[in-house]
Amino acid sequence: MLSIEKIEQNKELSLVIAVILGILVFATVLFFIWGKIKPEANLKELKARTRSWWIMAGIFITATLVNTIVSFIAFTFLSIFAFKELTSISRTTRVCDKNIISWGYAAIPVQYFFAYMGWYEAFLIFIPVFMTFFLTFLIVKKGVIKHISISMAVIPMQLMLCVYGISHLAYLLSLSELQGFKPGGRGLLLFVVFITEMNDVFQFTWGKFLGKRKVIPLVSPNKTWEGLIGGVITTTVVGYFLRFLTPLNGVESIVVSFVVACVGFAGDIMVSAIKRDIGVKDMGSVIPGHGGILDRIDSLALTAPIFFHILYFLKY
């Protein structure tokens, strides 16, 4: 029999999941009707993003509800696929360094094992310290000097982006329980994922209808100041009302949501810059109509660690 606390926790999580699904249903119906009324309206991008959010919502909701071990396995494969996407299209990695990428793959389950066990110190330093120096040594050991500095920078950064950042989502499930905080790690996971992805939707929508002034036109021509500001404000408000999923008070939830929204924009821009440098539109084609895994979790790669460490500093 479920305890009263467990039942209350499930109710809170179920409420948020219902809100997420409700928003997706509303957006799907809205864009369908809008397209019928005004066929000339260019809604292709909005519809594509909505379809991709259905897929991503399914992934993260499942990871929240199922057994913890299954969730960690799912996150592990999420990082593997993202790492594969980025390394396979990178043109800055030298041919002689290709086999070093395998050491990056080997590091992924180790990182998630540390997260599962809740070994904070090992989790914190394994990739940014140990793997960075280890991979650098292997690159130097090849004895090929030409473009070596590029490989020394690119390969560890790929691991940081696709594995280290995303693994913080999994670690949320391993955080110790706080007295009086019922949603636990699953609530924290839903919170950061939801406001990060909604921030992307809000910024795109505000920019679509009000955007005029470009933020960084050479990197992402569609990003506007109107979209950025509108998205950040809307996300901050949403984060405030969803604070019951976190142990944060009102002021803390506003600050954290604001920071997450700004950092989410930075993550999106960063991956856009990488794609523009490589010369591709999407990182892959896993998600029909909207690219690969990394195209959809680019913001989370930055918001997850930022959210995790602010939360850890304030409450743990």
Side-chain angles (χ1 to χ4, degrees), residues 109-174:
V110 177
Q111 176 72 3
Y112 279 94
F113 175 73
F114 290 151
Y116 176 74
M117 297 300 294
W119 294 349
Y120 180 73
E121 290 80 7
F123 171 85
L124 200 63
I125 68 172
F126 176 62
I127 287 180
V129 178
F130 178 80
M131 286 305 299
T132 296
F133 290 136
F134 179 63
L135 293 175
T136 301
F137 169 74
L138 293 179
I139 293 170
V140 174
K141 189 173 178 291
K142 288 286 184 179
V144 181
I145 302 301
K146 188 175 182 180
H147 300 313
I148 191 172
S149 59
I150 296 178
S151 290
M152 291 168 65
V154 169
I155 299 177
M157 187 57 192
Q158 291 172 335
L159 204 57
M160 286 288 292
L161 182 65
C162 301
V163 184
Y164 187 70
I166 299 301
S167 65
H168 286 77
L169 293 175
Y171 198 110
L172 290 172
L173 301 176
S174 295

Side-chain angles (χ1 to χ4, degrees), residues 242-311:
L242 290 179
R243 67 187 185 280
F244 64 87
L245 288 173
T246 76
L248 303 172
N249 61 36
V251 174
E252 290 171 341
S253 66
I254 290 174
V255 174
V256 169
S257 299
F258 176 83
V259 172
V260 166
C262 294
V263 172
F265 172 82
D268 192 7
I269 286 293
M270 185 172 68
V271 173
S272 294
I274 294 173
K275 289 188 290 187
R276 191 162 291 275
D277 176 54
I278 295 173
V280 298
K281 182 180 183 296
D282 299 315
M283 286 293 184
S285 57
V286 174
I287 302 177
H290 208 69
I293 293 294
L294 191 55
D295 291 300
R296 293 275 46 88
I297 63 172
D298 50 5
S299 296
L300 281 168
L302 268 68
T303 61
I306 292 294
F307 172 76
F308 177 92
H309 290 294
I310 293 177
L311 183 76

Side-chain angles (χ1 to χ4, degrees), residues 202-212 222 224 226-228:
F202 292 145
Q203 290 191 17
F204 180 83
T205 304
W206 282 108
K208 183 76 173 178
F209 296 111
L210 299 178
K212 293 181 180 180
N222 295 324
T224 64
E226 292 81 3
L228 172 59

